Amino acid sequence: MQDSHAPADRTAADRATAVVTEEWCRALDVTDPSPDDDFFAEGGNSLLIASLIDRVERRLGIVFPVEVAFIDGTLGALTDACAERLVTAEGTTA
Amino acid sequence: MSGALPRLGVLHAPNAAANLRDLVLAGRDRCEVVLLVRRDVAAAEPDLVRLGQALATVVVIGDDVTHELAGLGLDGLVTFHDAELEACDAAVRELGLPGATEADQPWDKLVQRRLLNAAGVSTVRSAPVDSPAGLFEAAAEIGLPAVLKPRRGTASTDLGFLTGPADLEAEPGRRERWAGLVLEQMIQRAPHPSGRRWLADYVSVETVTHRGLHTHVAVFDKTPLAVAGGTGPSRHAVRETGDVLPAQLPPHVYDAVLATTSAALTALTVRDRVSHTELRVCADGVEVIEVNGRLGGEVAGMIGMMGGSDLVRAAFDVALGRRPELAAPTRPEVLVSLYVPFPERSGPVRSAVTRPQVRELPGVVRVDEVAQHGAARSDTAFHAVKVLLTAADADSAGHLVRSVATRVARLYEADGLGADPWLRQLTDDGDESDAEPDSARPVDATPDGAAPGTTGPDSAAPGTAAPDSAAPIGAGTRGDTV
């Protein structure tokens, strides 16, 4: 599934980064997060990450990298992993 | 995970003291984590199973735990959930895994108190109750005031505070469930030994025991308990409201706390596990409230933030029969996890509060929970907010706790937080050195005013307290359910 609101010229990686960041902000009720922020250290919990995973998977059409979310947990790691999966899924290059 | 690693079974369910992430991180490069999830839990919590399967091996099991685990090739078994303690211990014993207690069912509060009495660790009297008639017999035996409570579990609900004959006479008309109760002598509230009124008169100790040697990793102070009113099982539900690390105890009380904890764990024949012991403290003595046979809620993360050991990892190690690597919290500041409770448990949240509003409160370094307008109060375990605060020292921490609690009460004014007696106690700015117990009811378990100090061992003889009783590498989590 494609993000219907994404600009046509946005690369897959950019789109994945934007979607993950948007859902991160929604889940944690924050604005302007840093790539180094840890989801759980910012007050996230398993219920919130489950919701974030569902929404990202629906919007990007990828299998979410759950292990990255639980083991690394930073926004930067999540955006990178999701971008990689979206690029692979779409057969494009970042 | 590598097949060369030992296989550790974790009997898991929502609201355990360790969540899925804790388990995954603790098991990395250490063991193959096999998540054991009850069939009814798996049906009710599909996210738990889905996420668990992405991170570990998940086995859905039925009621015959030992039989179902027998073919899994486990090298150890552990749980962080009260409801699974007895099943876990039974399976450990029957499968010959590390960590079995010699005593049978030591987490049953009646059994536990009798073991503590027999070892001279506690003088609190207790008696079983299974009927209204049994209540009167028990009250005649142990006297009033007393607390009537379930023998199993630590949810601190379904309590009956029987302060005198009127409460005793009224109890049969109030209570619906009578099976598996215990009546225990009640301990009167006392000031915290430091005189700080924002601290309650009890502490908790997290202990790692390996081959019967007890190492106390940290001691936590608590903010005052809140008692919810109402009817039904939530009647007289006692709510913890905060943990404070490190504890602000005078040295002689601190030593007595550690010594009594060691003696209690030895009396319960604890051999290989992480445990959470709650003790009542005052200037002249210590009494065991209860010992939980698993890691305390909330505390592991706090210990980690303060530079101490990962106690989930330690629990894994001892469950596998390994010696754990332990370190005490080292950071100099004071860390407080504050959970501001709703005074009334039923109904939806009436106030509209956002995370950013809570994040802006003084001293807040992390916002774990903010109850959302319209949601059921039970969604956040009856907390309005749950936050972590840091302060340079205990006095600063007290000011911060009072300030944050007062501001949260204003934010949740529509939910009646400002009128909660708990808040009044917390924000009472009376002379700290002349602290008087609040006139509210006594809370939880232990003895009457008779010499609580006599129940603790000599502070100069910490007994089995392990490696360094003078400097314990010695200091619970709501919110994350999975």
Side-chain angles (χ1 to χ4, degrees):
Chain A
M1 185 185 297
Q2 300 273 329
D3 181 351
S4 59
H5 300 292
D9 59 350
R10 185 181 287 176
T11 66
D14 287 344
R15 191 150 42 84
T17 298
V19 166
V20 171
T21 304
E22 190 177 318
E23 295 301 339
W24 175 288
C25 292
R26 175 200 286 256
L28 297 175
D29 201 359
V30 296
T31 56
D32 197 24
S34 158
D36 293 331
D37 288 349
D38 180 290
F39 187 83
F40 296 92
E42 293 296 312
N45 58 39
S46 300
L47 290 178
L48 291 173
I49 198 74
S51 172
L52 183 151
I53 289 168
D54 280 344
R55 296 184 63 85
V56 170
E57 287 187 339
R58 278 204 305 271
R59 291 182 64 180
L60 295 178
I62 60 170
V63 176
F64 191 91
V66 175
E67 68 287 357
V68 176
F70 276 78
I71 292 172
D72 184 298
T74 62
L75 175 60
L78 274 181
T79 55
D80 287 351
C82 287
E84 186 178 323
R85 291 196 177 195
L86 185 61
V87 168
T88 300
E90 295 189 348
T92 62
T93 55
Chain B
M1 293 182 184
S2 167
L5 295 173
R7 282 166 67 84
L8 177 69
V10 182
L11 273 164
H12 189 57
N15 298 317
N19 61 34
L20 197 50
R21 192 194 200 199
D22 298 329
L23 301 177
V24 169
L25 292 179
R28 288 190 79 199
D29 304 323
R30 186 169 236 87
C31 57
E32 180 187 357
V33 174
V34 181
L35 286 176
L36 306 163
V37 181
R38 300 277 193 168
R39 196 164 288 124
D40 58 335
V41 172
E45 303 285 344
D47 279 344
L48 185 154
V49 175
R50 183 169 64 100
L51 295 175
Q53 287 171 333
L55 299 163
T57 302
V58 177
V59 179
V60 176
I61 61 172
D63 291 335
D64 190 350
V65 174
T66 302
H67 176 76
E68 301 219 27
L69 269 49
L72 296 180
L74 298 178
D75 299 297
L77 181 66
V78 68
T79 188
F80 298 90
H81 201 289
D82 288 318
E84 296 290 10
L85 268 179
E86 288 189 12
C88 184
D89 279 13
V92 162
R93 187 175 294 115
E94 292 177 41
L95 297 174
L97 299 173
T101 55
E102 191 177 316
D104 191 27
Q105 302 192 357
W107 319 120
D108 174 324
K109 293 182 175 64
L110 179 65
V111 173
Q112 182 174 112
R113 186 62 68 185
R114 289 180 170 172
L115 287 167
L116 297 176
N117 292 154
V121 180
S122 170
T123 59
V124 173
R125 295 190 299 271
S126 61
V129 172
D130 290 296
S131 66
L135 172 62
F136 289 102
E137 291 171 14
E141 179 184 339
I142 71 166
L144 298 177
V147 183
L148 184 62
K149 58 186 180 180
R151 287 168 62 169
R152 290 179 168 80
T154 58
S156 301
T157 59
D158 209 12
L159 306 177
F161 293 127
L162 311 181
T163 57
D167 285 338
L168 178 62
E169 293 294 333
E171 186 66 16
R174 295 171 176 161
R175 179 170 293 275
E176 295 174 1
R177 293 180 296 181
W178 286 91
L181 303 174
V182 58
L183 187 71
E184 281 194 340
Q185 281 181 282
M186 183 188 292
I187 192 169
Q188 299 294 332
R189 292 177 76 168
H192 185 274
S194 71
R196 293 183 170 90
R197 297 175 69 105
W198 65 281
L199 294 174
D201 63 348
Y202 74 107
V203 299
S204 67
V205 184
E206 301 308 307
T207 305
V208 180
T209 303
H210 174 59
R211 297 184 180 176
L213 192 64
H214 312 302
T215 302
H216 308 299
V217 176
V219 181
F220 285 80
D221 270 323
K222 311 289 178 177
T223 50
L225 289 168
V227 180
T231 58
S234 293
R235 179 176 60 104
H236 291 172
V238 172
R239 297 306 314 275
E240 295 193 351
T241 64
D243 296 290
V244 182
L245 181 67
Q248 309 296 316
L249 297 173
H252 73 285
V253 178
Y254 200 85
D255 289 346
V257 163
L258 299 187
T260 304
T261 302
S262 290
L265 293 170
T266 298
L268 302 182
T269 68
V270 169
R271 179 173 165 77
D272 295 289
R273 71 169 65 229
V274 175
S275 54
H276 172 83
T277 304
E278 295 183 351
L279 308 99
R280 183 248 189 200
V281 294
C282 64
D284 60 353
V286 173
E287 173 60 271
V288 176
I289 296 174
E290 64 182 30
V291 183
N292 303 139
R294 45 90 189 143
L295 175 66
E298 306 293 339
V299 297
M302 292 177 72
I303 292 171
M305 287 179 72
M306 294 286 274
S309 298
D310 178 342
L311 290 193
V312 179
R313 184 172 290 188
F316 280 16
D317 282 338
V318 294
L320 290 166
R322 294 171 170 171
R323 180 184 299 279
E325 292 178 13
L326 298 174
T330 53
R331 296 178 64 88
E333 61 265 35
V334 173
L335 182 65
V336 180
S337 183
L338 183 66
Y339 348 122
V340 182
F342 286 114
E344 173 57 52
R345 296 181 139 212
S346 60
V349 178
R350 296 193 180 97
S351 310
V353 181
T354 65
R355 276 178 177 257
Q357 283 178 288
V358 177
R359 203 173 286 124
E360 291 170 359
L361 297 176
V364 170
V365 293
R366 196 174 83 194
V367 178
D368 285 331
E369 279 182 336
V370 176
Q372 298 296 302
H373 178 260
R377 291 176 178 143
S378 57
D379 285 358
T380 49
F382 312 106
H383 299 133
V385 305
K386 177 166 168 264
V387 293
L388 274 172
L389 317 170
T390 58
D393 53 45
D395 290 332
S396 303
H399 292 304
L400 278 179
V401 166
R402 283 192 282 262
S403 174
V404 169
T406 302
R407 293 180 195 209
V408 168
R410 281 193 208 118
L411 290 171
Y412 282 91
E413 191 172 6
D415 291 276
L417 264 68
D420 192 339
W422 170 79
L423 185 69
R424 287 206 303 274
Q425 181 182 350
L426 190 66
T427 56
D428 184 346
D429 283 319
D431 179 0
E432 301 251 12
S433 64
D434 189 27
E436 290 290 331
D438 190 84
S439 59
R441 288 172 178 271
V443 284
D444 212 88
T446 36
D448 55 25
T454 59
T455 61
D458 183 345
S459 63
T464 57
D468 180 356
S469 61
I473 66 170
T477 318
R478 282 241 48 79
D480 199 356
T481 61
V482 176

